Amino acid sequence: MRPSTGIPTKPVGGYGTYIGDELYSGIAWADVDNDGDLDVYMPQVYGDLAYAYSYLYINNGDGTFQDMGDIYGTRVWDTYGSAWADYDEDGDLDLVTGGKSPFSGSYHIHLLRNSGTATDTSGWRWRAASRTGTRWARG
């Protein structure tokens, strides 16, 4: 990864904080905003590190990316994986990942529903869906 892309290179926590190289795990590429280029969701592990949260990098189409995880509500801490699928069959990709949200929260499977549109990304909202019993509930 080149620093010019906008995606940070390690160490994420800063020099002298954690110099390991295994924070990222289960990275998943997809065209999240349906604009024809690949975006990337990057989860991180280690639940005791406040900076080990996930990123959702949206491809700007010019070789750079912007982290929209906090804005779109896809940020979780300490998760090993992620996957994209259109679970609600509305034409855009939804995200499933584990981890905790917020940092001090408990661990859950997070099914995040992308309710955005390809033509109006300013209205994008990611809604959490939780599992109760044998049914999924949309939040």
Side-chain angles (χ1 to χ4, degrees), residues 1-60:
M1 194 60 59
R2 294 187 173 114
S4 61
T5 64
I7 298 175
T9 56
K10 61 184 178 185
V12 175
Y15 289 97
T17 305
Y18 178 77
I19 311 298
D21 63 347
E22 57 179 332
L23 286 178
Y24 294 116
S25 179
I27 294 170
W29 292 83
D31 184 8
V32 178
D33 51 6
N34 291 325
D35 65 354
D37 53 32
L38 289 176
D39 311 295
V40 61
Y41 185 78
M42 299 175 65
Q44 294 191 75
V45 298
Y46 295 116
D48 58 342
L49 302 175
Y51 60 83
Y53 50 77
S54 61
Y55 293 93
L56 173 59
Y57 284 106
I58 300 298
N59 189 329
N60 295 322

Side-chain angles (χ1 to χ4, degrees), residues 30-132:
D31 184 8
V32 178
D33 51 6
N34 291 325
D35 65 354
D37 53 32
L38 289 176
D39 311 295
V40 61
Y41 185 78
M42 299 175 65
Q44 294 191 75
V45 298
Y46 295 116
D48 58 342
L49 302 175
Y51 60 83
Y53 50 77
S54 61
Y55 293 93
L56 173 59
Y57 284 106
I58 300 298
N59 189 329
N60 295 322
D62 61 1
T64 65
F65 293 78
Q66 182 176 2
D67 176 28
M68 300 298 286
D70 201 32
I71 293 168
Y72 287 170
T74 60
R75 182 134 306 151
V76 299
W77 282 259
D78 195 21
T79 182
Y80 281 87
S82 58
W84 296 101
D86 184 10
Y87 97 95
D88 56 2
E89 299 179 354
D90 65 352
D92 52 38
L93 293 173
D94 308 298
L95 175 67
V96 64
T97 188
K100 46 186 188 170
S101 180
F103 172 68
S104 60
S106 57
Y107 290 90
H108 297 283
I109 300 296
H110 302 275
L111 178 57
L112 301 167
R113 183 176 163 259
N114 177 351
S115 60
T117 65
T119 57
D120 180 18
T121 56
S122 66
W124 278 43
R125 298 292 180 266
W126 291 76
R127 296 171 45 185
S130 60
R131 187 168 190 270
T132 53

